[in-house]
Amino acid sequence: MIKTILLNAIEAGGKELQRFFNGEFKITNKEGINNPVTEADHASEKAIIDIIQKSYPDHFILSEETGEIITGSEYKWIIDPIDGTINFANGIPICCVSIGVEKNGEMIMGAVYAPMLNELYFAEKGQGATLNGKKISVGNKATVISSCLVTGFPYTYLDEPNGPLQIFEKLIRKGVPVRRLGSAAIDLCWVASGRFDGFYEHKLAAWDSAAGFLMVQEAGGKVTDFKGNPYSPYQPHILATNGLIHNEMVEVVNGKAF
Ligand code: IPD
Ligand code: CA
Ligand code: CA
C-alpha cells in the first residue's frame, strides 16, 4: 500500500515537471542570490501531498517548499518536489522528484523520478534498488584514482577548511574526474546504478538525500557523514560510495592525502 501511494505520488509530481518543462512559469527567489523556486515546484508539491493525504491524512509530511505538516506520526514522508531546480528552470533535463518514507525514524522506502530522462528509481529497505523495474548495483572501482566522482556546491558558499572547492581542487589536481550535475538525488541514484563510484556534498537538506541514500545502500554501497559515521539525512554532509573506495574518500573529504 505505501509503495503504491509512493509510486502514484512521485508519478503525479513528475507529470507536473513535464507539464512545465521548457514552457512558461513564474520564478521567485528564496534566500541567497540564485536559489529559485518555480511554479512547477509548487505544483509538483501539491500533487504529491494531495495523493499522500488522501490515503494517509495523519502521516507526518516534511516537504521543501511547505515545511512540516502534521508531525507526530510514526510515518514521515520527506519530499523534494523538484531536485535540480536550477537545471529545470534552464531547460536542463537533469532534475527529478524525490520522496523518502521513514517509519519510526528509519528510512524504509524511497523513490526518485527524473521524467525527462525517463528514469524511475525505487528502493525498499532490505529489498534492493531498481531503475525502471530492473535491479541496480553499485560499481566496482577499488581506488579513488580510478573512480568517476560527482559532487555539488551549496547555494551559499561554505568558507571552511576542506570546503567544497578545496576538496574539488584536490581531486582535480590529481586527475580524478569529478562531475557536477546539479541534482543531489540524481547524483545518489547514479552512484546506486554504478555510473559514479562516489558522491560527496557539504550542506544538504533532508529532502535532497532521503530517498537517494537508501537507493545507494540498497544497491550495495555505503553512505556516511564525513567522519565515516552512519548517515542521517538530518545532518548536512554526505559521503556515498560503492563501498570499496569509502575509507579512502573519508580521507579525501577530511583533507588528508590519498
Ligand atoms: C539542490 C540540488 C543541488 C545541490 C544543492 C541542493 P534544489 O536542490 O540538489 O545538486 O548541490 O545543495 O540544494 O534546490 O534543486 O532542490
Ligand atoms: Ca533539493
Ligand atoms: Ca527542491
Side-chain angles (χ1 to χ4, degrees), residues 19-222:
R19 184 159 76 86
F20 285 98
F21 190 66
N22 273 332
E24 304 223 326
F25 44 80
K26 272 187 240 121
I27 305 181
T28 45
N29 227 44
K30 295 195 278 193
E31 107 194 73
I33 40 165
N34 244 322
N35 192 353
V37 54
T38 71
E39 207 180 333
D41 290 82
H42 293 298
S44 168
E45 183 170 74
K46 183 177 183 321
I48 293 165
I49 293 176
D50 281 353
I51 287 180
I52 297 168
Q53 290 198 320
K54 219 172 264 169
S55 295
Y56 301 117
D58 56 344
H59 281 191
F60 187 163
I61 289 174
L62 168 64
S63 190
E64 181 175 7
E65 312 307 340
T66 304
E68 294 186 342
I69 311 170
I70 308 186
T71 56
S73 154
E74 60 176 337
Y75 286 97
K76 179 170 175 183
W77 298 70
I78 306 167
I79 302 163
D80 194 336
I82 302 183
D83 187 59
T85 289
I86 296 221
N87 287 348
F88 178 86
N90 287 284
I92 299 166
I94 302 173
C95 48
C96 63
V97 184
S98 170
I99 308 177
V101 187
E102 261 184 21
K103 186 178 181 191
N104 294 323
E106 186 192 31
M107 205 63 64
I108 56 161
M109 231 178 258
V112 172
Y113 179 35
M116 275 68 76
L117 304 178
N118 191 27
E119 295 195 349
L120 171 64
Y121 293 85
F122 174 79
E124 185 171 356
K125 184 94 197 157
Q127 303 295 317
T130 57
L131 161 57
N132 294 341
K134 289 201 183 112
K135 205 163 170 36
I136 50 171
S137 344
V138 292
N140 58 9
K141 300 273 172 50
T143 56
V144 170
I145 203 78
S146 63
S147 291
C148 182
L149 305 176
V150 64
T151 190
F153 299 97
Y155 285 100
T156 23
Y157 187 69
L158 211 56
D159 239 334
E160 59 177 42
N162 305 315
L165 283 178
Q166 284 92 331
I167 307 299
F168 188 64
E169 181 180 5
K170 202 167 119 142
L171 288 161
I172 296 300
R173 280 186 187 278
K174 291 252 180 168
V176 179
V178 187
R179 301 294 182 247
R180 199 274 209 224
L181 302 184
S183 162
I186 292 180
D187 296 336
L188 285 162
C189 288
W190 288 15
V191 172
S193 61
R195 292 174 184 163
F196 294 122
D197 306 295
F199 164 64
Y200 66 92
E201 185 160 350
H202 304 68
K203 218 176 159 184
L204 285 185
W207 43 77
D208 299 313
S209 65
F213 98 83
L214 184 64
M215 213 69 67
V216 173
Q217 286 181 342
E218 288 300 319
K222 186 165 180 180

Side-chain angles (χ1 to χ4, degrees), residues 170 174 248 251-252 255-258:
K170 202 167 119 142
K174 291 252 180 168
E248 218 188 335
E251 304 279 285
V252 172
K256 310 226 170 80
F258 72 99

